[in-house]
Amino acid sequence: SIICVPTPFDYDEGQYDHSIVRKEVERISNRSYTGDHTTMIHSTVMPGVTDQMTSEFGLTNVAMVPEVLREDSALEDVFETEKIIVGTKSRQAYGTIRQAYPDDKTFVHVDPKEAELIKLTSNNFGSTKISFANEVWRFAEEIGADGDVVLDEFRDICPWIGYPALKGGWPYGGACLP
């Protein structure tokens, strides 16, 4: 089973709402799957949630496999991903997930908490890049410079910075960047 459902950010609580993920994990636990059934969580969850739900619902083969997707190219990103992070304590789950992907992918086996934190780190770094680019772009426009030229040339002389999310005027928001 693959769980890829929304985890909306609850601004009042200051955290992600895991109720939809929890509902799906519970539904899987109530089915009469064999002991070798694997459950893969793709949704954004806080560190510790995968282990907590695995224990709470008595599942054994659960893995957190974070997806790092951009809203404007999500489908392309799924197919072009080179590295698959598999956060699990189950050898069975790790093996099943490896078999589900093409052979040309690189796999990294980590603890579920590490996988959850990798996803959150990716989201936070993306939001930092967007915020930085927007501030540079706004300042350039304020002083009469072309913010797009500044950011384009910055990316060209600093290629290790990366292109995605370094374009001025991009919106900050969406499911992963509340």
Side-chain angles (χ1 to χ4, degrees), residues 113-138:
K113 288 178 187 168
E114 293 165 344
E116 293 159 336
L117 191 53
I118 288 167
K119 172 61 176 165
L120 292 172
T121 300
S122 170
N123 288 355
N124 285 317
F125 186 69
S127 65
T128 299
K129 285 175 70 174
I130 291 168
S131 296
F132 174 78
N134 281 335
E135 288 303 310
V136 169
W137 188 75
R138 283 187 199 111

Side-chain angles (χ1 to χ4, degrees), residues 8-176:
F9 194 78
D10 183 334
Y11 288 94
D12 292 334
E13 296 294 321
Q15 60 188 0
Y16 289 98
D17 176 356
H18 300 116
S19 62
I20 303 170
V21 175
R22 175 177 297 287
K23 179 180 169 187
E24 295 307 315
V25 172
E26 183 175 20
R27 185 186 334 222
I28 290 166
S29 73
N30 289 333
R31 302 211 178 198
S32 57
Y33 292 119
T34 62
D36 63 351
H37 183 82
T38 295
T39 301
M40 183 166 58
I41 298 174
H42 270 314
S43 301
T44 302
V45 296
M46 295 301 290
V49 168
T50 301
D51 284 341
Q52 177 197 15
M53 287 192 218
T54 299
S55 174
E56 181 179 338
F57 295 109
L59 299 172
T60 54
N61 298 315
V62 180
M64 169 57 176
V65 181
E67 288 184 315
V68 180
L69 311 173
R70 296 166 289 171
E71 283 191 10
D72 59 341
S73 60
L75 189 57
E76 178 184 319
D77 292 344
V78 166
F79 291 111
E80 292 186 8
T81 296
E82 295 177 16
K83 185 180 281 188
I84 309 297
I85 304 293
V86 182
T88 186
K89 294 179 179 173
S90 163
R91 288 179 190 232
Q92 170 80 31
Y94 180 75
T96 299
I97 291 166
R98 276 201 73 148
Q99 291 175 1
Y101 284 90
D103 291 336
D104 65 340
K105 306 297 180 193
T106 299
F107 291 85
V108 178
H109 187 184
V110 299
D111 185 83
K113 288 178 187 168
E114 293 165 344
E116 293 159 336
L117 191 53
I118 288 167
K119 172 61 176 165
L120 292 172
T121 300
S122 170
N123 288 355
N124 285 317
F125 186 69
S127 65
T128 299
K129 285 175 70 174
I130 291 168
S131 296
F132 174 78
N134 281 335
E135 288 303 310
V136 169
W137 188 75
R138 283 187 199 111
F139 180 69
E141 297 294 314
E142 252 180 52
I143 65 168
D146 185 330
D148 291 329
V149 169
V150 171
L151 289 167
D152 287 345
E153 297 311 318
F154 167 68
R155 283 190 310 271
D156 287 349
I157 65 169
C158 302
W160 61 88
I161 300 296
Y163 177 79
L166 268 179
K167 190 92 175 129
W170 281 32
Y172 180 87
C176 291

